[in-house]
Amino acid sequence: SGFALSITSQHRAQTLLRIRSNWLKFFFYFFPEKFKINVMRDILKSKSEEKPLPIDQHIADIQSAIEQFSATILIAPTGAGKSTRLPARLHAEKRIVIVQPRRAAARMVANRIAENAGEKVGGKIGYHIRFEKCFGPRSKIIVLTEGMLLRWLQSNPFLDDISLIILDEFHERSVEMDLCLGLIHEIQNEIRNDLKLLVMSATLDPKPLEKWFGKETPVIVSKGKIYPVEIVHDKQQDDRSLANK
């Protein structure tokens, strides 16, 4: 009977796959290209339905602080949406660059932002890491590592095509990240007062940065997202020690 059930479930799965395949063939063969693009975009948007995140209520304040000050500090716990939700909601005349400390993180953040926006990575949202470049002339948001930003500064020392630089996970201090911060600050003071900087972290002590940037530097703090936790106790008491369990 178990063998018969496994055959039945396997047959059902194969049938569903065949139906789905036939529907896709019919869809892509008969419908106009523009209609197909709109339908697939709606499907992607429905899959990545954006749920409210703690960072949403601070986006207007962050945008205002970026427009008024050269540097802004954001402290938001993990899961608040600072890396994947915030950059796409900010307005900038030129490009927005997000600096991540690791290559895997840069790639994943770019993919998540693109998925939320219903875009394909390499279009409006891209990334640039060592040995891998995935962005184009129309890319408005680019995620890269601190090493790549230093390489960009060699060929474009004034960062003319960038309006906002976001240093994410700044609490993971490194020589490269500190060098990026110093060079950006120097560019702002000497050449480009229109270049904006946003420093983000989950566990950052803002006081040293406030002292370095200036007392007027805005510090925005976002709360994290709390998930319900249920505590369940075992009905049968066990008097054994942990070593004997």
Side-chain angles (χ1 to χ4, degrees):
S1 59
F3 179 71
L5 285 173
S6 63
I7 292 178
T8 304
S9 60
Q10 185 179 3
H11 177 70
R12 187 183 297 111
Q14 291 176 352
T15 304
L16 290 173
L17 288 173
R18 196 179 301 112
I19 293 172
R20 184 181 298 177
S21 176
N22 291 335
W23 183 86
L24 287 173
K25 288 179 182 178
F26 174 81
F27 174 78
F28 282 105
Y29 184 79
F30 287 101
F31 285 89
E33 189 68 27
K34 188 175 181 180
F35 176 78
K36 289 186 287 188
I37 292 174
N38 292 333
V39 170
M40 294 305 294
R41 185 179 292 121
D42 291 340
I43 292 173
L44 288 173
K45 285 184 178 179
S46 64
K47 284 185 176 181
S48 59
E49 189 76 23
E50 290 189 349
K51 298 180 180 180
L53 291 175
I55 200 66
D56 293 340
Q57 58 184 332
H58 299 285
I59 291 177
D61 295 334
I62 296 169
Q63 181 70 55
S64 177
I66 290 173
E67 293 173 356
Q68 296 181 42
F69 300 92
S70 60
T72 304
I73 302 172
L74 173 63
I75 301 174
T78 303
K82 63 182 182 297
S83 300
T84 57
R85 175 72 61 85
L86 178 63
R89 300 289 184 88
L90 295 176
H91 172 72
E93 294 182 1
K94 301 176 184 178
R95 283 176 168 170
I96 297 175
V97 166
I98 308 168
V99 180
Q100 288 284 339
R102 292 175 301 279
R103 286 182 286 177
R107 191 187 298 111
M108 290 175 63
V109 167
N111 278 277
R112 184 59 178 170
I113 296 174
E115 181 183 350
N116 289 340
E119 297 282 344
K120 187 177 180 181
V121 178
K124 292 183 179 180
I125 296 97
Y127 64 89
H128 193 188
I129 59 178
R130 191 180 183 187
F131 305 128
E132 195 172 349
K133 177 181 177 182
C134 186
F135 71 93
R138 57 187 289 265
S139 298
K140 293 291 292 182
I141 300 175
I142 303 176
V143 190
L144 63 160
T145 56
E146 63 264 56
M148 290 312 305
L149 179 59
L150 294 175
R151 291 290 301 272
W152 280 22
L153 284 165
Q154 293 179 2
S155 57
N156 184 14
F158 302 149
L159 303 175
D160 299 314
D161 57 341
I162 298 172
S163 292
L164 171 64
I165 299 177
I166 300 175
L167 299 181
D168 198 7
E169 307 294 349
F170 192 76
H171 60 274
E172 298 187 19
R173 299 287 297 276
S174 65
V175 175
E176 292 82 5
M177 186 69 83
D178 285 358
L179 183 57
C180 287
L181 178 66
L183 291 174
I184 294 167
H185 190 56
E186 184 178 0
I187 293 171
Q188 289 177 319
N189 292 335
E190 301 294 335
I191 300 159
R192 288 195 55 196
N193 56 7
D194 63 321
L195 180 63
K196 304 297 183 178
L197 175 64
L198 175 61
V199 180
M200 304 194 305
S201 173
T203 59
L204 178 69
D205 179 11
K207 292 181 180 179
L209 283 177
E210 282 184 275
K211 185 177 180 180
W212 193 61
F213 285 127
K215 294 181 179 180
E216 72 281 356
T217 303
V219 178
I220 300 173
V221 180
S222 173
K223 295 181 180 180
K225 189 171 183 179
I226 300 176
Y227 294 89
V229 177
E230 182 181 358
I231 300 176
V232 180
H233 298 279
D234 192 354
K235 295 180 180 180
Q236 295 182 354
Q237 186 176 355
D238 193 345
D239 296 329
R240 293 179 298 169
S241 63
L242 291 176
N244 298 326
K245 288 185 179 180

